[in-house]
Amino acid sequence: MKKITILIQLILCFSSIYAENKVPSIVKEVTVYPSGAKITSVAEVKLSAGNNDIVFEKMPLDLNILSLQIRLKGSAKLVAANFRTFTSPNSKNNESKSRILNDSLVLIQDNLTKIDIENTLLAQEEQLLLENQRKVGSYPNNGNNLSINDLKELSTYCKTRMTEIKNRSMELILLQRKTQALQYELGRKLNSLNINDAQTTGEIVLQINSPIAQSSEIACVYLVSNASWTPIYDLRAESIEKPLSLVSKASIKNYSGLDWKNVLLHLSSALPFSNNSRPILSPKYIDFSNSYSNSNLDSPSSAASGYLHGKMTDANTGDELIGANVSFKKNGTLISSINTDVDGNYRASAPIGEYEIEFSYLGYNTQRQKVFLSTNQTANLSVSLSQNSSVLSEVVVQGYGAQKSMNMAQIPNENIRIKGSRDENTIYMVDGIRVNKDELPPARQIEKRIIESFEKMYADEENFSETFDVKEEQTVLNNTKAQVIEYKTQDIPAVYEYHSVPKLDPSVFLLAKITDYGKYNLISGNANIFYKDTYIGQSYIDTKNIGDTLLLSLGRDEDISIKRLKPIDLKSEKKFFSDSRKERLGFEIVVKNNKNIPIEIEILDQIPVSRSKEIVVNLEEKGGADYNETYGKLSWKLIIPERKNKTIRFEYSVKSPKLKVVN
């Protein structure tokens, strides 16, 4: 008996060692990218001495396994990590609810059957009464021996009973309608319950060895693709004497599968899912064209083009592949390449001809297909890529304590990526033999570069991208509409200037010039413009402009009026000299300042530029303007006192052949 007890204790001890401990995790910190997000999920776990299997449950299905990092506190060491999908079974509570709903639906169906039976009997009785009434009426006093009183009683009975049948039929119709509505509602609840019970989520499985029983905080850091943010700006100008007020906002979308409740939120301009391969400049060849060729459609310079579009998805999950690469090649030479958008879609145009299209994505098998593009024809080519297991053939395990490495044969799931302290040197093992990182086979060299790229991104993210920390904790729920949060407010010195092109628009616009705008850490995005608390409209802040001055339009200023007129003393006079003619033209621009302060205004106009030696254009009078002869541009910078106006005038002449029409 004693031996049996000891054996049972050993079995229980062995089971406790290898039993999985599922722990709910809390999202503590999120860094959102223009496409994707880095999430830190944390759980407090009680570890027993020895081996522990810890499962972070309800993880996103689109978790990027290559980006997974595990951080442990305490003396425990990470042995291995794994990612898998899990479909939750029906809970006991839900099983009970489902059983009750099914029983209720059976009773409801029985009641509907009873209603149908009663309706049938009432219809038969109604038919019988009608037939008997017709028979009695056909033989009033011949052979039926019914007196007048009997006929009256029979008629009264039939009328009363028919009324009862009609009323009962109406009651049954209303009862049937209510019962069917209840049946539909209970059926909907049952279907919803079954769908919710069968929900599939991801799980991170950790194998941890602890020298002692202890509590430890475990953090899982990983990338997901179904999240994004875009910048939105509010630019406010109170007056031309004050700096601009810039309010930076972020429109955040969260479709990660997790609610971000009270998290530390960061916004980054980095693109972790983009193609980081450097561009390769291929030779551009030049040769004589074949004048006897029937077609030059294969020439890249041909105006005839075809179009190709499609979608790239994961072959196993059906998820969109964001930032995947689509390359156009001819005879092995790369012609061009594009990336898929946030929905996995791509669209491209190319000169007509035959191409080899290469579809590639990090960690997936590359596909190649030949396509012939026809003139103005659109071809649809969607592909599904399968994950490349060869890239994940070996796992490098790295923890916070002593280093350890293992072959994939020791771990059942191939999709494993484990990261730990960045301060330790990684040990690489191939077939049980320790090797240097430079001696790794090509596939494992690729894996090493993938790991190192994510390590560098996490460690030095701020060195190559803008990152903004949101001061207060934020809540962004999953699968809801975009949420807008404010993350920064700053005053920006600006030089205000009035600007007008009266030839195109008889209005004066207020411009704000921001010099050296790079120091304000702006990202390209839409800006809502406000002037004196009035919404002016929307502009676009383009930080990719190579200039050092950002120019913003603050809209029209109605306190300044401007007009462009033909001078009264110059009426487009024409003069003829033998075989040529000369025409003189001119305009006056009148600006009136209705403000109580002086203003500085830039005015632009132009005269035509000749592209023929037979047409000669001369600027006769420029009215103090700066003149650019190449473009025919005239520009004035004027200071107009308060409540004053100013007139500028320019004239030019056009000499051309008399018998030719000048446009």
Side-chain angles (χ1 to χ4, degrees):
M1 183 66 182
K2 185 176 181 180
K3 292 181 179 179
I4 295 174
T5 303
I6 294 173
L7 180 61
I8 292 174
Q9 289 177 348
L10 288 173
I11 292 173
L12 292 175
C13 181
F14 182 82
S15 300
S16 65
I17 291 175
Y18 290 96
E20 291 184 345
N21 179 16
K22 292 197 173 186
V23 296
S25 61
I26 300 174
V27 178
K28 287 288 188 181
E29 190 172 358
V30 178
T31 299
V32 191
Y33 305 104
S35 177
K38 181 178 70 175
I39 299 177
T40 301
S41 296
V42 178
E44 286 286 343
V45 180
K46 291 184 178 180
L47 301 174
S48 59
N51 293 325
N52 296 264
D53 281 356
I54 306 300
V55 178
F56 276 56
E57 58 182 354
K58 297 181 180 179
M59 291 287 103
L61 287 172
D62 67 332
L63 185 151
N64 189 309
I65 188 63
L66 294 175
S67 67
L68 179 61
Q69 292 189 108
I70 308 299
R71 299 171 183 168
L72 296 174
K73 286 187 177 180
S75 58
K77 299 175 184 178
L78 180 65
V79 178
N82 189 8
F83 179 81
R84 69 188 183 192
T85 58
F86 176 76
T87 302
S88 59
N90 290 334
S91 64
K92 292 183 179 179
N93 186 32
N94 288 338
E95 286 180 0
S96 176
K97 289 180 181 179
S98 298
R99 187 163 52 251
I100 293 172
L101 288 173
N102 278 314
D103 292 343
S104 299
L105 287 170
V106 171
L107 292 176
I108 288 174
Q109 187 59 49
D110 291 343
N111 289 334
L112 289 173
T113 302
K114 290 179 181 178
I115 292 173
D116 289 338
I117 293 173
E118 188 174 354
N119 270 324
T120 302
L121 293 175
L122 289 174
Q124 291 176 353
E125 184 179 359
E126 181 182 4
Q127 184 67 27
L128 183 62
L129 286 173
L130 290 173
E131 290 178 357
N132 288 333
Q133 194 174 18
R134 283 195 295 270
K135 289 179 181 179
V136 172
S138 301
Y139 308 99
N141 283 311
N142 290 325
N144 57 13
N145 298 322
L146 290 177
S147 64
I148 299 298
N149 290 333
D150 292 337
L151 286 172
K152 288 181 178 179
E153 289 179 4
L154 180 60
S155 177
T156 301
Y157 169 77
C158 289
K159 182 179 180 180
T160 302
R161 185 56 188 158
M162 288 290 287
T163 302
E164 292 174 351
I165 290 174
K166 294 294 184 183
N167 290 337
R168 181 57 181 167
S169 296
M170 182 58 67
E171 291 175 357
L172 290 175
I173 290 173
L174 296 176
L175 180 61
Q176 185 182 42
R177 189 179 300 165
K178 291 180 180 178
T179 306
Q180 288 175 339
L182 180 60
Q183 183 186 41
Y184 172 79
E185 182 63 23
L186 293 180
R188 187 187 64 79
K189 288 183 178 180
L190 181 61
N191 290 335
S192 175
L193 194 65
N194 291 336
I195 291 173
N196 291 337
D197 287 347
Q199 185 176 9
T200 300
T201 59
E203 289 186 341
I204 298 174
V205 182
L206 307 177
Q207 296 178 17
I208 298 174
N209 183 273
S210 178
I212 58 173
Q214 60 180 312
S215 293
S216 176
E217 180 184 274
I218 305 176
C220 294
V221 185
Y222 49 88
L223 290 177
V224 295
S225 58
N226 291 327
S228 64
W229 82 283
T230 53
I232 303 174
Y233 300 101
D234 284 351
L235 273 169
R236 298 180 180 273
E238 295 299 327
S239 69
I240 60 176
E241 292 90 6
K242 295 182 180 180
L244 282 172
S245 175
L246 177 66
V247 179
S248 302
K249 301 178 181 179
S251 177
I252 303 173
K253 294 181 181 179
N254 174 18
Y255 298 104
S256 65
L258 297 176
D259 288 333
W260 305 341
K261 294 183 178 179
N262 301 321
V263 300
L264 295 174
L265 190 64
H266 313 282
L267 307 168
S268 175
S269 64
L271 297 170
F273 289 99
S274 63
N275 181 11
N276 293 313
S277 300
R278 70 180 184 91
I280 304 297
L281 188 63
S282 301
K284 183 176 178 65
Y285 299 101
I286 188 170
D287 201 349
F288 292 106
S289 62
N290 185 358
S291 59
Y292 298 100
S293 174
N294 293 327
S295 172
N296 65 345
L297 296 181
D298 288 334
S299 171
S301 61
S302 174
S305 296
Y307 301 90
L308 185 68
H309 70 93
K311 189 169 190 172
M312 293 181 63
T313 56
D314 186 298
N316 295 324
T317 65
D319 293 338
E320 300 87 353
L321 298 181
I322 301 172
N325 184 259
V326 183
S327 300
F328 289 71
K329 294 184 177 182
K330 270 193 173 185
N331 301 321
T333 302
L334 179 66
I335 305 300
S336 65
S337 65
I338 58 172
N339 295 101
T340 56
D341 59 20
V342 294
D343 296 316
N345 296 317
Y346 73 91
R347 182 177 177 85
S349 63
I352 64 172
E354 188 177 42
Y355 295 89
E356 183 184 51
I357 312 299
E358 184 176 280
F359 302 92
S360 60
Y361 193 60
L362 188 67
Y364 286 76
N365 292 311
T366 299
Q367 279 194 28
R368 297 175 180 86
Q369 297 192 32
K370 286 189 176 181
V371 173
F372 185 86
L373 298 181
S374 302
T375 306
N376 294 328
Q377 296 294 316
T378 300
N380 188 323
L381 184 57
S382 298
V383 299
S384 296
L385 301 185
S386 58
Q387 292 191 14
N388 187 349
S389 59
S390 64
V391 175
L392 305 175
S393 60
E394 180 170 316
V395 62
V396 178
V397 181
Q398 185 174 347
Y400 277 83
Q403 302 154 351
K404 184 174 182 178
S405 178
M406 60 180 64
N407 287 344
M408 287 302 302
Q410 298 175 262
I411 304 174
N413 193 315
E414 291 184 349
N415 295 332
I416 299 177
R417 189 64 62 250
I418 301 175
K419 307 305 296 177
S421 170
R422 303 185 186 94
D423 299 329
E424 300 171 342
N425 295 321
T426 304
I427 298 175
Y428 296 93
M429 301 288 289
V430 178
D431 299 328
I433 302 174
R434 177 171 174 168
V435 299
N436 297 324
K437 61 181 180 180
D438 297 330
E439 299 172 346
L440 290 174
R444 288 162 185 169
Q445 286 280 9
I446 294 173
E447 179 186 355
K448 179 180 74 69
R449 288 197 295 270
I450 292 171
I451 296 173
E452 290 176 350
S453 66
F454 277 110
E455 284 278 278
K456 181 173 177 56
M457 185 192 72
Y458 287 149
D460 303 320
E461 190 174 274
E462 66 278 3
N463 292 337
F464 62 88
S465 64
E466 300 293 347
T467 302
F468 308 98
D469 299 326
V470 182
K471 294 181 180 179
E472 298 180 354
E473 293 182 343
Q474 299 291 327
T475 295
V476 183
L477 299 180
N478 173 61
N479 208 20
T480 56
K481 64 180 183 180
Q483 181 171 326
V484 178
I485 64 169
E486 182 179 318
Y487 64 89
K488 192 174 184 180
T489 301
Q490 55 186 324
D491 289 337
I492 298 180
V495 176
Y496 296 93
E497 186 179 88
Y498 290 100
H499 180 85
S500 181
V501 187
K503 179 182 178 180
L504 303 179
D505 191 323
S507 302
V508 175
F509 292 83
L510 178 61
L511 303 181
K513 293 183 178 180
I514 304 173
T515 58
D516 196 17
Y517 65 90
K519 64 183 179 183
Y520 300 110
N521 298 329
L522 303 179
I523 301 174
S524 296
N526 291 321
N528 300 311
I529 309 297
F530 297 86
Y531 184 60
K532 295 182 178 179
D533 293 328
T534 301
Y535 176 69
I536 301 300
Q538 195 173 75
S539 183
Y540 185 78
I541 296 179
D542 185 7
T543 58
K544 295 180 181 179
N545 188 343
I546 60 174
D548 61 354
T549 300
L550 187 64
L551 191 63
L552 299 172
S553 174
L554 301 180
R556 294 174 171 85
D557 194 323
E558 303 299 335
D559 291 335
I560 307 173
S561 57
I562 189 166
K563 288 185 179 180
R564 184 177 189 261
L565 308 167
K566 286 188 176 182
I568 299 176
D569 58 345
L570 182 66
K571 295 185 177 179
S572 185
E573 58 183 37
K574 297 181 180 179
K575 296 180 181 180
F576 295 90
F577 307 94
S578 62
D579 59 345
S580 65
R581 63 180 175 182
K582 185 176 182 181
E583 186 175 1
R584 191 177 178 96
L585 302 133
F587 293 93
E588 283 184 347
I589 300 174
V590 182
V591 188
K592 185 177 181 181
N593 177 18
N594 299 310
K595 293 179 174 292
N596 294 322
I597 57 173
I599 63 166
E600 182 177 350
I601 183 171
E602 180 185 42
I603 301 174
L604 301 181
D605 214 307
Q606 63 182 165
I607 65 172
V609 178
S610 174
R611 289 195 280 187
S612 172
K613 293 182 179 180
E614 295 182 283
I615 303 174
V616 179
V617 180
N618 286 320
L619 179 61
E620 306 290 346
E621 181 182 340
K622 63 180 182 178
D626 290 332
Y627 176 54
N628 186 316
E629 187 175 358
T630 304
Y631 300 101
K633 177 182 174 183
L634 296 165
S635 62
W636 295 264
K637 285 196 175 182
L638 308 175
I639 296 177
I640 304 177
E642 63 274 17
R643 303 290 179 180
K644 299 292 183 181
N645 59 18
K646 184 168 287 191
T647 302
I648 54 179
R649 174 171 173 156
F650 67 95
E651 298 177 15
Y652 64 95
S653 62
V654 179
K655 186 179 179 180
S656 61
K658 183 166 50 177
L659 299 179
K660 292 185 179 181
V661 178
V662 177
N663 182 12

